[in-house]
């Protein structure tokens, strides 16, 4: 490792940290921060391991002062919140008979044919109705469209257009030959979406943070939070130029800098009414609406396939952005290269790669040695194969704040060049909190990327959208309503996009951590951007 370079955090009563930059190493930071550096040379094995982290204390106890967020960030956050509020307006929920019913809603294929050609678009009109058969007069239902051919191991997402009057157009691009089945799942009726949106933004207290303070032989745990909600004296820890804050109750006779670890647990609290909770019973989530539609047949029809150029950074991703066929992801908007082990090693040679994100990227780290056989794992400082993100990192285990990182600050430490690539994902650990926290963090990441491009515009940055996850696990705490935010915030940056949401719908994985074939396809897409 090279000499330590200063890695400052703007912190009140928290130790500044000095991190060692790594060459010919891999530093893995994950679970909301995962940093992965990879360097390969001719006949030199690629190694994955940690450099040690050294710390110097240079802070003193201070009383909490107001945290100031830059005005432009507040304005941007407010604008995005306004758009989301329009998409999910309040819907009065008086009785279950006023909600959308998957059984009573109607679906019909527009301009049906006996046989379709590959490349055609098949459109379905859905009219939402309540259990009494009355047509709904407003939209906002959470729908998920998919077409599949199980025999061919094929699948793709469909595009849903909400006309906001109770009718929806569901469009499927027919991407392969064979017999296809169509699916439209009612994840939540609009009344449920409205209830979840209100409940999510009502409080930060769904998760309990506990901070461990150590002063010689004494250990004390105090409650911590993302907002200053205690009347007792607080320790305030600030991160980045946007002054993102984390608070802990200050223990008696201990300095704020004595904070060493944080752990979390769920708080048994709900902002949903008993009536609203009935909408999220397992039998009412993800209900099929197209079960009465017959199969459709797709032929080649001697259509000439459109040629596409190689996948490149900056390309816009359509819906769907690809499909699975025989268990392999095929992009629709660019030519995705297929790499064997030798080509992968050749592509990675001389490259410096950072993985910044949550546990969905941890699986990339474990999968990569299957692709690049020379990868090896090392652990040099005893905290495992990766650093943890400081907050909000949700885990019942104690994790060290001294080995914690912050995605915008990590990006600020990267000089960048044509052989540097960064993959970023975020979202899963933000789901139990009001959406403005996630928006604020995403804007901070965007600002750091913009600064990186000013330093070196040749640096390759790829944004990985969230995976879909289990539909029936703690809907109020972990519901899927963040997908559009990252697309909006990063849409005009020169970055690549891995639409894992689209990909995991195509695979129907419905798992936060999808199987290896899905992870392999995500990595293959990443390599197509950088090779």
């Amino acid at each position: 490792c090279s000499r330590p370079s200063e890695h400052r955090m703007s912190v009140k009563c928290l130790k500044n940290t000095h991190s060692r930059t790594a060459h010919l190493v891999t530093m893995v930071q994950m679970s909301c921060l995962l940093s992965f550096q990879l360097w390969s040379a001719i006949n030199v094995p690629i190694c994955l391991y940690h450099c040690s982290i050294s710390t110097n204390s240079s802070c003193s106890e201070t009383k909490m002062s107001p945290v100031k967020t830059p005005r432009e960030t507040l304005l941007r956050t407010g604008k995005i919140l306004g758009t989301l509020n329009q998409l999910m307006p309040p819907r009065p929920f008086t009785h279950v008979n006023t909600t959308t019913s998957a059984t009573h809603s109607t679906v019909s294929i527009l301009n049906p044919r006996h046989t379709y050609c590959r490349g055609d678009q098949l459109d379905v009109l859905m009219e939402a109705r309540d259990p009494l058969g009355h047509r709904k007069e407003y939209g906002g239902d959470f729908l998920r469209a998919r077409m599949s051919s199980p025999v061919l191991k094929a699948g793709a997402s469909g595009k849903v257009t909400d006309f906001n009057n109770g009718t929806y157009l569901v469009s499927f691009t027919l991407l392969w030959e064979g017999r296809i089945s169509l699916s439209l799942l009612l994840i939540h009726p609009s009344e449920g979406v409205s209830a979840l949106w209100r409940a999510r933004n009502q409080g930060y207290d769904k998760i309990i943070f506990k901070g461990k303070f150590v002063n010689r032989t004494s250990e004390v745990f105090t409650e911590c939070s993302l907002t200053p909600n205690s009347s007792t004296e607080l320790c305030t820890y600030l991160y980045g130029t946007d002054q993102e804050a984390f608070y802990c109750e200050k223990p008696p006779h201990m300095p704020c800098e004595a904070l060493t670890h944080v752990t979390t647990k769920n708080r048994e609290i709900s902002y949903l009414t008993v009536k609203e909770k009935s909408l999220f019973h397992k039998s009412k989530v993800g209900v099929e609406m197209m079960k009465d539609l017959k199969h459709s047949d797709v032929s080649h029809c001697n259509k000439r396939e459109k040629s596409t150029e190689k996948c490149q950074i900056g390309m816009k991703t359509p819906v769907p952005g690809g499909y699975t066929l025989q268990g392999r992801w095929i992009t629709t908007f660019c030519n995705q290269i297929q790499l064997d082990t030798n080509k992968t090693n050749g592509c990675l040679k001389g490259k410096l790669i950072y993985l910044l994100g949550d546990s969905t990227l941890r699986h990339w780290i474990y999968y990569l040695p299957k692709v690049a056989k020379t990868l090896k794992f090392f652990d040099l400082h005893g905290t495992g194969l990766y650093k943890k993100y400081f907050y909000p990192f949700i885990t019942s285990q104690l994790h060290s704040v001294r080995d914690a990182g912050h995605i915008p600050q990590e990006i600020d430490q990267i000089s960048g060049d044509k052989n540097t690539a960064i993959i970023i994902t975020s979202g899963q650990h933000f789901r139990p909190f009001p959406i403005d926290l996630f928006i604020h963090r995403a804007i901070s990441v965007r600002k750091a990327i913009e600064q990186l491009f000013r330093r070196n515009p040749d640096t390759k940055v790829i944004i990985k959208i969230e995976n879909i996850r289990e539909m029936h696990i703690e809907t109020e705490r972990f519901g899927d309503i963040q997908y559009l935010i990252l697309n909006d915030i990063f849409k005009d940056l020169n970055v690549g996009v891995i639409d894992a949401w689209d990909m995991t719908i195509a695979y129907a994985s419905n798992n936060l951590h999808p199987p290896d074939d899905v992870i392999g396809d995500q990595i293959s897409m990443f390599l197509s951007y950088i090779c």
Side-chain angles (χ1 to χ4, degrees):
C1 292
S2 65
R3 300 286 297 174
S5 61
E6 192 171 38
H7 178 98
R8 290 192 180 275
M9 294 183 290
S10 174
V11 178
K12 294 181 180 178
C13 297
L14 182 66
K15 293 182 178 180
N16 290 338
T17 62
H18 298 261
S19 64
R20 294 180 183 270
T21 57
H23 299 287
L24 299 171
V25 304
T26 297
M27 183 174 71
V28 180
Q29 302 177 321
M30 50 148 298
S31 288
C32 274
L33 175 66
L34 182 152
S35 172
F36 166 81
Q37 298 183 11
L38 184 153
W39 186 280
S40 64
I42 300 175
N43 298 323
V44 176
I46 305 170
C47 303
L48 293 95
Y49 60 95
H50 261 179
C51 280
S52 61
I53 304 295
S54 61
T55 60
N56 287 325
S57 176
S58 62
C59 64
S60 59
E61 295 179 25
T62 65
K63 292 185 178 179
M64 187 188 71
S65 59
V67 176
K68 295 183 179 179
T69 301
R71 185 172 182 271
E72 61 176 303
T73 300
L74 291 175
L75 291 174
R76 183 73 188 274
T77 300
K79 183 178 180 181
I80 295 172
L81 274 173
T83 301
L84 292 173
N85 285 330
Q86 289 178 352
L87 291 173
M88 294 174 280
R91 298 295 185 197
F93 176 43
T94 56
H95 193 276
V96 68
N97 285 341
T98 65
T99 64
T100 304
S101 166
T103 302
H104 294 85
S105 297
T106 62
V107 292
S108 56
I109 297 177
L110 301 180
N111 303 314
R113 287 185 265 166
H114 291 295
T115 302
Y116 294 86
C117 294
R118 181 181 175 186
D120 287 349
Q121 180 168 300
L122 189 157
D123 291 324
V124 177
L125 183 69
M126 192 275 279
E127 292 186 351
R129 296 180 181 272
D130 63 28
L132 300 178
H134 300 139
R135 179 173 163 176
K136 299 289 291 291
E137 296 181 353
Y138 51 84
D141 296 312
F142 184 1
L143 306 172
R144 183 175 295 166
R146 179 176 182 263
M147 67 177 186
S148 63
S149 297
V151 174
L152 301 175
K153 297 181 181 179
S157 66
K159 181 179 180 181
V160 178
T161 303
D162 183 352
F163 294 113
N164 297 310
N165 61 2
T167 61
Y168 301 81
L169 180 66
V170 187
S171 302
F172 298 94
T173 303
L174 306 179
L175 297 166
W176 63 85
E177 302 166 43
R179 175 158 290 186
I180 62 167
S181 299
L182 303 180
S183 169
L184 182 66
L185 298 182
L186 175 62
I187 307 298
H188 304 304
S190 55
E191 294 79 9
V193 172
S194 175
L196 287 175
W197 183 239
R198 189 202 72 249
R200 171 164 185 173
N201 293 305
Q202 202 157 333
Y204 285 83
D205 51 357
K206 298 183 185 76
I207 300 295
I208 299 172
F209 293 88
K210 289 286 186 179
K212 178 183 177 182
F213 290 79
V214 178
N215 190 3
R216 296 184 180 180
T217 59
S218 299
E219 294 183 2
V220 177
F221 282 85
T222 71
E223 189 155 335
C224 304
S225 65
L226 300 172
T227 55
N229 55 3
S230 173
S231 59
T232 62
E233 186 178 2
L234 296 177
C235 296
T236 306
Y237 307 96
L238 303 179
Y239 296 84
T241 57
D242 279 2
Q243 300 285 278
E244 297 183 63
F246 185 74
Y247 306 90
C248 289
E249 294 179 2
K250 185 181 180 300
H253 313 301
M254 281 194 184
C256 292
E257 61 194 13
L259 178 67
T260 62
H261 294 78
V262 173
T263 184
T264 68
K265 65 177 181 179
N266 294 342
R267 190 189 301 274
E268 296 303 319
I269 188 172
S270 174
Y271 293 103
L272 296 174
T273 66
V274 173
K275 188 182 296 184
E276 288 170 338
K277 288 180 182 178
S278 69
L279 296 175
F280 308 109
H281 187 273
K282 187 174 181 179
S283 63
K284 297 181 180 179
V285 176
V287 183
E288 181 59 64
M289 306 184 79
M290 289 186 173
K291 59 185 177 182
D292 293 331
L293 284 186
K294 295 181 179 179
H295 300 295
S296 297
D297 293 314
V298 181
S299 300
H300 188 274
C301 300
N302 295 319
K303 277 196 171 184
R304 181 179 299 178
E305 294 187 20
K306 296 180 180 179
S307 59
T308 55
E309 58 181 320
K310 177 188 174 300
C311 299
Q312 297 180 45
I313 299 291
M315 286 183 165
K316 303 304 178 185
T317 305
V319 178
Y323 59 100
T324 66
L325 183 63
Q326 299 299 340
R328 183 172 68 86
W329 179 255
I330 301 171
T331 55
T332 58
F333 64 98
C334 63
N335 184 16
Q336 183 179 354
I337 61 175
Q338 300 300 317
L339 300 175
D340 57 23
T341 299
N342 290 333
K343 289 180 180 179
T344 299
N345 287 338
C347 164
L348 295 178
K349 186 174 68 174
K351 296 245 182 355
L352 191 61
I353 300 174
Y354 297 81
L355 275 70
L356 307 175
D358 56 30
S359 61
T360 62
L361 284 184
R362 176 186 63 205
H363 289 258
W364 281 39
I365 295 301
Y366 293 138
Y367 187 89
L368 275 167
K370 300 177 183 180
V371 179
K373 302 296 184 181
T374 54
L375 285 172
K376 298 181 184 297
F377 288 102
F378 292 88
D379 177 15
L380 295 187
H381 63 61
T383 62
L385 295 171
Y386 43 83
K387 285 170 63 175
K388 306 297 190 298
Y389 190 73
F390 187 23
Y391 82 91
F393 177 48
I394 301 170
T395 176
S396 59
Q397 298 178 343
L398 282 171
H399 66 279
S400 171
V401 300
R402 281 160 173 70
D403 293 317
H406 188 61
I407 289 179
Q409 286 182 306
E410 294 294 321
I411 297 172
D412 287 342
Q413 302 303 310
I414 300 171
S415 58
D417 59 32
K418 65 179 181 180
N419 288 317
T420 298
I422 306 171
I423 174 75
I424 301 169
T425 190
S426 187
Q428 296 292 342
H429 288 255
F430 290 80
R431 291 189 178 201
F433 306 103
I435 199 71
D436 62 328
L437 180 70
F438 179 59
I439 297 172
H440 192 172
R441 181 64 53 79
I443 292 173
S444 296
V445 171
R446 179 194 166 100
K447 288 181 179 179
I449 294 172
E450 290 173 335
Q451 292 292 341
L452 172 64
F453 285 161
R454 291 188 185 100
R455 293 193 297 274
N456 198 311
D458 293 330
T459 307
K460 295 180 175 65
V461 177
I462 295 93
I463 305 297
K464 175 188 167 293
I465 306 298
E466 290 182 75
N467 303 330
I468 62 171
R469 63 176 300 160
E470 301 83 356
M471 285 187 284
H472 305 112
I473 295 182
E474 296 191 85
T475 302
E476 182 178 357
R477 203 182 303 269
F478 296 113
D480 286 329
I481 52 175
Q482 295 181 164
Y483 169 62
L484 297 176
I485 295 174
L486 285 181
N487 280 336
D488 180 74
I489 290 175
F490 296 104
K491 63 184 178 183
D492 57 347
L493 275 182
N494 188 36
V495 299
V497 174
I498 298 175
D499 195 341
W501 183 276
D502 185 34
M503 190 179 292
T504 49
I505 288 177
Y507 272 103
S509 56
N510 294 317
N511 196 313
L512 172 60
H513 299 120
D516 276 0
D517 50 354
V518 181
I519 295 168
D521 283 338
Q522 293 176 357
I523 292 174
S524 177
M525 190 69 204
F526 170 68
L527 294 176
S528 291
Y529 277 129
I530 70 171
C531 295

